[in-house]
Amino acid sequence: MVGSAPTASQAAAHEALFGDALACDEVRPAAFLTGSTSGARLRVDAANGEALLRALAIVEDGLRSEEPEPGSDNTMHRLEAKLDLLTSLVAGLVPAQDTLALLPLRWSARGACLRVDTPVPAGSVGTLRVQPVDWLPSTLVLPVRVLACELVDGLWQLWLRFDSLPPALEAALERHLFRIHRRAIAETRRR
């Protein structure tokens, strides 16, 4: 928000989404799409999003000590996760997927903030599509509600609250954002 002081609605939306939550600032392939989605579609998107984030966690970090199942082999879990991601990648190549634009994105497990070309009224519902990692073109599709929309430096800044995420998906998203945050700190220390 360079060049202008935040308005009351911007400050309230920012506090609601990022107040005491871990938030990450990234440039990610992302898009906001307006319109409501059916309950069945929301459940499918939530299940796919949770599976994607869990597989990414296993591939990137391996199983943590609090996650192993009795008698399980971490190597087997990692291999299964890699196969799940490969299957997702191949499935995504069959239908031509929309190309997402690279956008500056601030997000937490509560919601996201990004800038778009056209205004969207507060209270509108839609979905946030975001590619969570660079090396896999799979996307998360998250239901959102617009908390605020204001013109900032020639673009419309949207504050989007995640709407009715299942607890397991919210927890997986929180862990994903924590890994991003941890990598950013490690990168800073290496400099």
Side-chain angles (χ1 to χ4, degrees):
M1 294 183 281
V2 177
S4 64
T7 65
S9 63
Q10 287 174 338
H14 189 275
E15 179 63 26
L17 299 179
F18 311 117
D20 61 352
L22 174 66
C24 294
D25 293 300
E26 299 185 279
V27 176
R28 291 254 123 249
F32 170 72
L33 305 170
T34 58
S36 62
T37 306
S38 72
R41 183 76 234 166
L42 288 173
R43 286 188 294 278
V44 168
D45 289 341
N48 289 343
E50 181 186 346
L52 173 62
L53 292 174
R54 285 188 185 281
L56 289 173
I58 291 170
V59 169
E60 291 180 342
D61 291 344
L63 286 176
R64 291 192 177 82
S65 59
E66 71 268 9
E67 295 177 4
E69 299 168 8
S72 68
D73 177 15
N74 287 352
T75 305
M76 184 58 102
H77 283 287
R78 288 177 61 91
L79 183 58
E80 287 173 358
K82 287 178 182 181
L83 285 173
D84 287 345
L85 291 174
L86 182 60
T87 303
S88 173
L89 177 62
V90 170
L93 294 176
V94 175
Q97 291 188 341
D98 298 333
T99 304
L100 300 176
L102 282 174
L103 297 176
L105 176 71
R106 180 174 181 87
W107 57 330
S108 74
R110 293 185 193 157
C113 185
L114 71 148
R115 293 184 184 177
V116 296
D117 294 329
T118 57
V120 181
S124 298
V125 295
T127 54
L128 174 67
R129 292 184 62 211
V130 75
Q131 183 180 328
V133 292
D134 294 333
W135 53 270
L136 185 69
S138 296
T139 58
L140 290 172
V141 180
L142 304 166
V144 294
R145 182 172 305 278
V146 178
L147 293 182
C149 175
E150 301 205 16
L151 189 62
V152 177
D153 297 332
L155 291 172
W156 294 95
Q157 185 152 325
L158 301 179
W159 284 266
L160 308 169
R161 178 191 300 271
F162 296 138
D163 207 9
S164 304
L165 292 185
L169 175 57
E170 188 174 344
L173 180 58
E174 204 166 297
R175 285 190 299 273
H176 176 72
L177 293 169
F178 179 75
R179 283 193 316 278
I180 293 168
H181 177 71
R182 189 177 61 206
R183 280 193 299 266
I185 289 172
E187 180 71 25
T188 304
R189 288 182 179 162
R190 278 187 228 132
R191 292 182 194 169

